């Protein structure tokens, strides 16, 4: 299964979600690959920290491949070897992100709730719609990330969903906006700096949120596969 994480917007949480998703997938298979197509190689620092931990041998590990340019051939090879391939893309409309979307079963679009992101999202989802002409089976999920955990600001979430609804309508698509969302929590940075996934970290709230997202994501994926 090939899962691409894409959004042109830098800072929306692509790399954070890619590595946490990969760590979570290690519970299901030891053949998990992260293909980092961003020349900044941001996932490498995480794997370096993880591999230098004293308890490194007790931890499960995903394989990291840094690839840029035309990733298609490399991807085809990896699909034969790994059960799950998670592709992290960079914050721009790049060759890598287009190739990733063309080859993927699933596209996850993390988005933060600022208006600026919504504008980028309209452009971004318009492009995804074009990719779907080629990769008809691509299942697309939008994940709201960095939501303010203050319940008084729940309006932020409602406004966000409304905006996605309007975008879908304007481009004539029905991309799923996941019910579960990820809050802005310092634990994401802390876990990464310790070489741990959020589901391995001490922050139970953050862990539960990520688990809820993961279950919904898998459910959606299975539904779209059986459709
Ligand atoms: N849910 C979250 N809560 C707190 N910080 C987050 C969250 N998601 C991402 N971040 C932080 O936001 C910054 C950008 O995230 P990153 O994953 O690098 O985004 P991208 O890969 O899309 O550019 C990083 O410092 C990361 O730790
Ligand atoms: Mg990144």
């Amino acid at each position: 299964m090939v899962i691409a994480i894409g959004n042109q917007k830098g800072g929306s949480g692509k790399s954070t979600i890619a590595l946490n998703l990969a760590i979570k997938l290690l519970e299901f298979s030891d053949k998990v690959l992260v293909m980092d197509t961003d020349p900044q190689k941001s996932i490498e620092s995480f794997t370096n920290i993880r591999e230098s931990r004293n308890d490194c041998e007790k931890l499960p590990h995903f394989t990291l491949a840094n690839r840029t340019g035309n990733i298609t051939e490399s991807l085809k090879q990896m699909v034969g070897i790994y059960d799950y391939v998670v592709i992290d893309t960079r914050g721009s409309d790049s060759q890598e992100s287009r190739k990733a979307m063309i080859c993927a079963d699933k596209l996850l679009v993390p988005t933060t709730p600022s208006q600026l992101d919504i504008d980028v999202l309209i452009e971004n989802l318009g492009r995804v719609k074009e990719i779907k002409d080629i990769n008809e089976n691509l299942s697309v999920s939008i994940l709201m990330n960095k939501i303010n955990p203050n319940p008084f600001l729940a309006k932020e979430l409602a406004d966000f969903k409304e905006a996605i609804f309007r975008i879908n309508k304007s481009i004539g698509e029905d991309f799923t906006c996941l019910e579960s969302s990820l809050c802005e929590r310092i634990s994401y940075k802390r876990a990464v700096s310790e070489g741990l996934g959020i589901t391995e970290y001490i922050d139970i709230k953050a862990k539960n949120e990520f688990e809820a997202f993961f279950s919904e994501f898998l459910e959606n994926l299975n539904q779209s596969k059986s459709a």
Side-chain angles (χ1 to χ4, degrees):
M1 185 190 297
V2 179
I3 302 165
I5 319 284
N7 181 339
Q8 280 164 265
K9 183 80 183 151
S12 60
K14 293 180 292 295
S15 302
T16 305
I17 290 164
L19 72 88
N20 280 298
L21 191 58
I23 295 284
K24 182 68 197 164
L25 288 166
L26 286 168
E27 292 175 20
F28 298 83
S29 167
D30 56 0
K31 291 184 193 144
V32 177
L33 177 92
V34 174
M35 186 178 280
D36 187 352
T37 67
D38 187 337
Q40 285 187 347
K41 299 184 181 174
S42 53
I43 302 210
E44 203 164 66
S45 58
F46 171 80
T47 51
N48 286 342
I49 299 171
R50 193 171 178 91
E51 281 158 21
S52 64
R53 284 179 63 100
N54 290 336
D55 58 353
C56 167
E57 283 184 11
K58 290 189 196 139
L59 294 171
H61 296 272
F62 58 75
T63 306
L64 175 65
N66 292 309
R67 296 281 186 281
T68 52
N70 190 345
I71 58 168
T72 311
E73 275 313 308
S74 182
L75 202 49
K76 276 184 192 161
Q77 282 178 12
M78 301 302 188
V79 167
I81 302 170
Y82 293 91
D83 292 330
Y84 296 99
V85 177
V86 178
I87 313 173
D88 186 17
T89 62
R90 61 171 139 170
S92 62
D93 174 31
S94 59
Q95 176 182 188
E96 292 87 348
S97 59
R98 280 193 301 275
K99 299 278 181 192
M101 288 191 282
I102 290 170
C103 298
D105 300 298
K106 178 89 195 171
L107 172 67
L108 182 63
V109 186
T111 307
T112 61
S114 74
Q115 183 58 46
L116 190 67
D117 280 356
I118 297 286
D119 293 343
V120 176
L121 196 60
I122 294 175
E123 215 184 298
N124 205 33
L125 293 180
R127 204 162 282 134
V128 175
K129 185 181 161 76
E130 282 170 21
I131 296 282
K132 281 201 73 166
D133 289 343
I134 305 166
N135 182 2
E136 281 175 20
N137 295 327
L138 181 69
S139 138
V140 182
S141 299
I142 299 158
L143 170 64
M144 294 173 283
N145 185 30
K146 295 190 182 176
I147 298 295
N148 192 313
N150 185 336
F152 295 106
L153 293 175
K155 189 174 178 301
E156 197 180 45
L157 262 182
D159 289 350
F160 193 99
K161 284 190 179 160
E162 171 62 27
I164 299 292
F165 178 77
R166 278 188 276 115
I167 295 173
N168 265 331
K169 217 170 159 192
S170 73
I171 63 171
E173 273 291 348
D174 190 17
F175 294 137
T176 307
C177 183
L178 296 175
E179 281 298 317
S180 36
S181 54
L182 303 179
C183 284
E184 177 144 51
R185 298 193 190 277
I186 190 73
S187 297
Y188 282 96
K189 278 195 183 68
R190 290 187 178 148
V192 166
S193 68
E194 290 184 30
L196 295 175
I198 199 74
T199 48
E200 298 167 320
Y201 195 63
I202 46 172
D203 183 339
I204 299 300
K205 270 191 189 166
K207 175 184 158 84
N208 287 345
E209 257 167 29
F210 197 87
E211 301 272 7
F213 143 68
F214 184 79
S215 310
E216 190 187 354
F217 178 68
L218 275 197
E219 215 172 276
N220 263 21
L221 189 57
N222 293 336
Q223 274 170 10
S224 55
K225 283 212 147 173
S226 58

